[in-house]
Amino acid sequence: LQWLRNPGPQHEKRTLFGDIVCFLFITPLATISGWLCLRGAVDHLHFSSRLEAVGLIALTVALFTIYLFWTLVSFRYHCRLYSEWRRTNQRVILLIPKSANVPSNQQSLLGLQSLKRNSKETIV
């Protein structure tokens, strides 16, 4: 969720949302089309020529191969973008625990520094 809130590159976010919309639109269409092609192939095997049945089966295989290829390439692309973002957008604050050896004025300075931290930073 931090990646979505980050004011970084808008192109990557638009690409992600576009791919999600395409995935939600294409998945039911590919499923229904594949089912109809296989149903037609079964009907052609029983009542008509085998050549048309083989053509419909080949069409189904091609349809699902293209769908799976697009899904895997898109997923891999977005995983790579996310990994790159995580690698380049790390904010870490090291909090030093208060100890008896540190004078009180230095402890108060350390305390003020920890209060001024940004909400996007990670405390370690």
Side-chain angles (χ1 to χ4, degrees), residues 28-75:
L29 288 177
T31 304
I32 291 169
S33 299
W35 181 78
L36 287 173
C37 285
L38 289 178
R39 184 79 176 142
V42 168
D43 288 344
H44 280 291
L45 280 175
H46 290 300
F47 303 114
S48 188
S49 70
R50 290 183 183 263
L51 184 61
E52 292 175 0
V54 170
L56 285 171
I57 291 171
L59 180 64
T60 304
V61 169
L63 174 73
F64 281 118
T65 301
I66 292 168
Y67 172 76
L68 287 175
F69 178 75
W70 174 79
T71 303
L72 291 174
V73 167
S74 178
F75 184 73

Side-chain angles (χ1 to χ4, degrees), residues 20-34:
I20 289 172
V21 167
C22 287
F23 180 78
L24 293 175
F25 183 70
I26 291 173
T27 299
L29 288 177
T31 304
I32 291 169
S33 299

Side-chain angles (χ1 to χ4, degrees), residues 72-114:
L72 291 174
V73 167
S74 178
F75 184 73
R76 183 174 174 241
Y77 171 74
H78 292 295
C79 285
R80 187 172 43 94
L81 284 179
Y82 179 69
S83 297
E84 183 178 322
W85 176 82
R86 286 201 48 168
R87 186 175 41 83
T88 59
N89 290 301
Q90 295 183 6
R91 289 185 169 205
V92 178
I93 296 176
L94 181 62
L95 295 179
I96 302 171
K98 294 180 182 180
S99 72
N101 298 342
V102 180
S104 63
N105 62 349
Q106 287 181 353
Q107 285 181 356
S108 64
L109 287 176
L110 289 173
L112 285 176
Q113 288 175 351
S114 65

Side-chain angles (χ1 to χ4, degrees), residues 91 93 95 111-124:
R91 289 185 169 205
I93 296 176
L95 295 179
L112 285 176
Q113 288 175 351
S114 65
L115 290 176
K116 292 182 181 178
R117 67 177 160 26
N118 208 349
S119 64
K120 295 179 183 177
E121 297 171 337
T122 304
I123 299 174
V124 178

